[in-house]
Amino acid sequence: MGQFLKKTTCFLFPLLILVIGINFYGDAGNLYSKDYETKIGEEIIRGHNVTNVLNCDERVLQKYCINNLQVCPDILAIGSSRMMMVHASLFKGTTFYNASVSGAAVEDLLAITSMYDQKNCSPRKIFIGLDPWTLNRNSTQTRWRVLNSDLKKFLSNSNDSGNLPDEENMKERFKSTLRANLKYNQLISPSYFQQSLYSVFFLNTTLLVTTQKDNITLTRLSDGSISYDAKTREIPPKELEKKVADFTRDGIYGIENFTDLDSDDQKKLDLLITYYKQRKTEIIFILAPYHPDIYKKIATSSKYIMVSESEKYFKELADKNHIKIKGSFDPGKIGLTSKDFYDGMHCTENAIQSLVNQ
């Protein structure tokens, strides 16, 4: 038995070292790279576009870019990935920056605003992308915690509770530790090994500076916005149809268990509006639509009733605060068809820019 264990250990130990090595150096998700976002940010700050961007932590990137900004933008856009294709080309003669992050929660909007405030930077105009999950406490959006310190600064400066109770701080520290452990658990993950192995032998993961806006791979533009990869931009109708059908396989992103409009999130949104109104910033709400097939499912199911309720609330909020509001979660209301989408909830570059520019 002892000999068997010894032989097994001698066999498995080198295999384990190989898996850890491939997962660390291949690093398909850029979990262990300490300067990936910094490298992208440095080029953006220099006014360059960067392509071949893979698995970037957008919140870390935005923090770097804002901390090192050279010019306070006249016009700012914040929101989720549904806002990321709003480009500076729409705003000739002004400075523009897009600070949107994927799956943005209302906490992200406050934290990003706080980072600009710390730089004494107030835009003349701001486009705020709002999604149904902005007011859904069960949206499972947690990536904003990367910016938790900036969120707390905003809440503190807004005379709200910026300091969490001791019990909450303990929970946060525990969650942070858990997230860190989960990160390093990927070092021995078989699935991560497969992805990292592919990354090592088949993917060119080198960041590339380019003067082109549209490239084969996803591109981060110098104004903070993105241009999708060629495969996404040129998706054939049949593939789009399948992609849209697959979109709802595990439920609809961000709006499952959406039972009411969360009062805490409403309060945070009010704080955001107050902040910009006090600084005389023109506020414009943007409601990006869903693909027609997805919205049909939303509109015909009672479990998604809060999507229309959230749109109604945003319109009432805009009216009360004399804020312009553009778009609708319902593509039919703004004349969009399936041809205007890349997937179930991201409309094409032309569609979102036309919406913003209307």
Side-chain angles (χ1 to χ4, degrees):
M1 188 68 176
Q3 282 292 99
F4 174 76
L5 287 174
K6 186 176 180 180
K7 289 181 179 180
T8 302
T9 300
C10 289
F11 172 76
L12 291 179
F13 185 71
L15 185 61
L16 180 62
I17 294 300
L18 175 64
V19 170
I20 291 173
I22 292 293
N23 282 349
F24 184 81
Y25 290 105
D27 197 14
N30 291 309
L31 295 176
Y32 313 112
S33 172
K34 295 182 179 179
D35 61 354
Y36 188 73
E37 289 77 17
T38 299
K39 289 177 180 177
I40 300 170
E42 285 174 346
E43 297 300 338
I44 289 176
I45 293 299
R46 293 184 183 118
H48 298 155
N49 301 334
V50 185
T51 194
N52 212 30
V53 176
L54 305 169
N55 297 313
C56 166
D57 188 325
E58 296 159 349
R59 288 157 180 82
V60 173
L61 175 62
Q62 291 300 342
K63 190 172 183 68
Y64 178 88
C65 290
I66 296 170
N67 284 345
N68 293 278
L69 66 83
Q70 305 298 306
V71 177
C72 182
D74 296 321
I75 304 174
L76 182 65
I78 57 176
S80 70
S81 59
R82 282 147 52 86
M83 283 286 289
M84 283 185 183
M85 287 182 294
V86 179
H87 303 315
S89 58
L90 286 176
F91 312 104
K92 303 291 185 182
T94 63
T95 53
F96 167 82
Y97 190 77
N98 192 324
S100 300
V101 293
S102 295
V106 67
E107 288 86 356
D108 284 302
L109 307 182
L110 298 183
I112 290 168
T113 296
S114 176
M115 287 189 281
Y116 277 103
D117 184 63
Q118 292 167 56
K119 297 290 289 186
N120 296 314
C121 175
S122 295
R124 177 172 52 82
K125 179 186 294 187
I126 185 164
F127 291 90
I128 302 177
L130 298 173
D131 302 290
W133 64 77
T134 303
L135 301 176
N136 180 15
R137 74 167 68 88
N138 299 317
S139 68
T140 72
Q141 306 299 326
T142 59
R143 285 174 283 181
W144 62 266
R145 294 186 186 280
V146 172
L147 305 177
N148 194 44
S149 61
D150 297 294
L151 171 65
K152 290 200 287 184
K153 284 179 184 177
F154 182 94
L155 295 176
S156 179
N157 292 338
S158 300
N159 296 318
D160 201 61
S161 178
N163 297 311
L164 296 172
D166 290 339
E167 182 182 355
E168 286 299 311
N169 276 321
M170 289 176 66
K171 289 180 181 178
E172 282 301 313
R173 286 197 295 272
F174 172 76
K175 289 176 181 176
S176 296
T177 302
L178 179 62
R179 287 194 294 274
N181 288 336
L182 289 174
K183 168 183 171 179
Y184 287 103
N185 282 345
Q186 294 298 320
L187 284 174
I188 56 174
S189 165
S191 62
Y192 199 70
F193 175 74
Q194 291 179 333
Q195 297 171 42
S196 297
L197 194 64
Y198 182 80
S199 177
V200 168
F201 292 105
F202 299 104
L203 278 183
N204 175 9
T205 58
T206 304
L207 294 171
L208 303 172
V209 175
T210 177
T211 58
Q212 301 297 315
K213 181 177 79 69
D214 296 326
N215 297 281
I216 295 174
T217 53
L218 185 141
T219 304
R220 284 270 163 190
L221 305 181
S222 60
D223 63 3
S225 65
I226 68 167
S227 174
Y228 277 111
D229 58 281
K231 186 177 179 180
T232 299
R233 298 193 312 269
E234 300 162 8
I235 187 169
K238 286 292 183 183
E239 285 188 30
L240 175 60
E241 187 177 320
K242 183 180 183 303
K243 200 172 185 179
V244 170
D246 290 342
F247 182 76
T248 59
R249 181 172 295 170
D250 299 316
I252 300 180
Y253 182 89
I255 59 172
E256 295 300 319
N257 304 309
F258 193 2
T259 56
D260 59 7
L261 304 180
D262 184 61
S263 58
D264 287 338
D265 288 339
Q266 288 175 322
K267 183 179 179 181
K268 289 185 178 77
L269 190 54
D270 284 339
L271 289 173
L272 186 70
I273 292 169
T274 298
Y275 172 89
Y276 284 114
K277 287 180 69 175
Q278 288 175 343
R279 285 154 183 79
K280 310 298 183 185
T281 299
E282 180 185 357
I283 305 169
I284 300 172
F285 286 166
I286 301 294
L287 306 185
Y290 284 89
H291 185 282
D293 292 350
I294 301 302
Y295 192 79
K296 184 178 180 180
K297 290 187 177 184
I298 291 172
T300 56
S301 173
S302 59
K303 74 173 183 173
Y304 299 125
I305 186 65
M306 298 313 298
V307 171
S308 60
E309 289 299 311
S310 65
E311 178 165 338
K312 180 181 177 182
Y313 175 79
F314 292 142
K315 289 180 176 178
E316 291 173 350
L317 187 64
D319 185 59
K320 183 177 74 172
N321 288 281
H322 308 290
I323 293 171
K324 293 179 184 177
I325 186 167
K326 300 181 179 184
S328 170
F329 300 141
D330 179 356
K333 287 184 178 179
I334 50 179
L336 297 187
T337 68
S338 60
K339 293 180 180 179
D340 296 304
F341 288 82
Y342 290 142
D343 59 27
M345 68 174 189
H346 294 95
C347 53
T348 63
E349 179 179 314
N350 287 339
I352 189 66
Q353 297 212 48
S354 295
L355 174 60
V356 170
N357 208 28
Q358 65 180 207

